[in-house]
Amino acid sequence: MTGTPDPPSPTSTHENSLGAAGSAQTGSAQSDASRTGLWLRGAAVLAIIVIALTALAMLAGQSLPERTGPPIENISVERTALEPGRITLTLRNTGPDAVTVAQVAVNDTFVDLVGAADPIGRLESQTITLDYPWITGQPYLVSMLTSTGLVIEHEIPAAVATPAPGVAFFGLMALLGTYVGVIPVLLGMLLLPVMRGAGVRAVRFVLAVTVGLLAFLIFDGTSEGFKLAAASSGAFGGGTLVVLGAAIAFLTLTCIDRYLRGRRPAGTTGASELRLALMISIGIGLHNLGEGLAIGSAYAVGELALGAFLVIGFTLHNTTEGLAIIAPLARRRTPLLTLLGLGLIAGAPAILGAVIGAGVDNREVSALLLGVGVGAIIQVVIQIAPSLRTQGRSDLDPMVLVGVGVGVGILLMFLTGLVVPA
């Protein structure tokens, strides 16, 4: 006769639970130990590589013969400041050898020179002051004669007094940043009620327009960044700074996006839409930071004429950025404070950029930050692309609607950009 198996005793159940817990703890400890060992091995290999490269550099430096011939001298003018009766130049040595500025001539006339007593080492900078009664609007050619007899020239196309930095000056920069950044973005966001009454196809079309807008910003930021890099000294990488900034921004925003995705509860569509709007705001904000920096730098050296035409031009150009922010929010109710926060994230960096640009006036920093804006917007475009797909299909549907939307976005940015004076 087959008996019924005895039920497990509480003691055996408890022992099994302890055994399972012990096994889990043992596995976790082994995993932690494995990761620690991996990190230690990686650190050891990295240390060996660093030591080997250091030894190789020292050995190569001692074994190479001394260089013969004249020194290689190269100087770039990073900043030109003009005050009544005075021209101040900030020089940077971009060559391999030290450079000493012996004399300076302005329009073939030698002038008194202050601040060039010491040689300028590689990548070092030096400020020299020239006593010269320049005339507003006139062009000048500054010829710098080095101690070896080399002549390095710098052209001032039209002499304009450099604005003196101060509270009023930086206040004006903050106001300009508000004009070209915050106000246009918030004006564009006023179209949200219209977007809420639109159908699915209309929302998809506006998202495609958003991709076109952002694609134009990518092109615009890249071209402007390389233009600034070409006009810089080139001592710190030139155009490479644009690529570096883009890579840093793209990777950083990718990490932020993955973090936000991990914190999002399953099935929360509204949170996904808000996350996308936030990413768009961050991307546009980084672009406006670089744009504000370029504006402030140009104004600091008297190259940007302010006026109503400039304000209207930038307002028309940047209003479309507000449309890009609200496009993902057309299907949900968003609190007013949240919308205001998104607008400030996108527009306020223009204020910071204008203030920094006016005070720092460094083309290489401007190129780097424009690259940051480009990388951020590329990441945002990748985020928007899935929203252009029809549910249940992997292809962009309909292709014509999406293509027309992207084209309209690019054309819209191009036409409004024509209003902005160079």
Side-chain angles (χ1 to χ4, degrees), residues 317-344:
H317 188 62
N318 291 347
T319 298
T320 52
E321 297 175 353
L323 179 63
I325 296 172
I326 63 173
L329 303 177
R331 302 172 187 172
R332 56 162 288 163
R333 293 288 178 180
T334 306
L336 181 61
L337 289 179
T338 301
L339 293 173
L340 181 61
L342 292 174
L344 291 177

Side-chain angles (χ1 to χ4, degrees), residues 28 36 42 62 74-75 87 94 182 185 189 195 207 221 240 248 265 283 304 376 388 394-395 410:
S28 178
T36 302
Q62 294 178 356
N74 193 8
I75 292 178
I87 301 176
T94 58
V182 177
V185 170
M189 296 179 69
M195 291 291 301
L207 285 173
T240 307
I248 292 174
L304 187 64
L388 302 178
S394 59
D395 58 329
I410 295 175

Side-chain angles (χ1 to χ4, degrees), residues 376-398:
I377 294 175
I378 292 175
Q379 212 281 336
V380 170
V381 170
I382 294 176
Q383 294 293 317
I384 298 177
S387 301
L388 302 178
R389 302 188 182 106
T390 303
Q391 296 294 330
R393 297 183 59 176
S394 59
D395 58 329
L396 297 179
D397 180 44

Side-chain angles (χ1 to χ4, degrees), residues 186-322:
L186 293 180
L187 287 176
M189 296 179 69
L190 293 178
L191 294 172
L192 181 58
V194 179
M195 291 291 301
R196 284 175 178 163
V200 176
R201 289 175 59 84
V203 172
R204 185 175 293 116
F205 177 77
V206 174
L207 285 173
V209 173
T210 299
V211 171
L213 302 177
L214 297 179
F216 185 89
L217 290 181
I218 292 172
F219 173 79
D220 182 60
T222 302
S223 60
E224 186 65 26
F226 280 110
K227 186 186 301 182
L228 286 172
S232 67
S233 64
F236 301 102
T240 307
L241 291 173
V242 182
V243 180
L244 178 63
I248 292 174
F250 181 85
L251 295 176
T252 301
L253 282 187
T254 299
C255 293
I256 293 175
D257 177 63
R258 295 300 174 87
Y259 173 76
L260 294 177
R261 286 176 183 268
R263 293 176 59 88
R264 184 186 68 187
T268 52
T269 305
S272 176
E273 295 169 346
L274 183 60
R275 176 184 58 81
L276 180 56
L278 175 61
M279 298 296 289
I280 294 175
S281 298
I282 294 174
I284 292 176
L286 290 175
H287 174 82
N288 285 336
L289 174 65
E291 189 176 76
L293 194 71
I295 292 171
S297 300
Y299 184 82
V301 296
E303 294 179 356
L304 187 64
L306 295 180
F309 189 70
L310 174 67
V311 174
I312 294 173
F314 271 113
T315 300
L316 290 174
H317 188 62
N318 291 347
T319 298
T320 52
E321 297 175 353

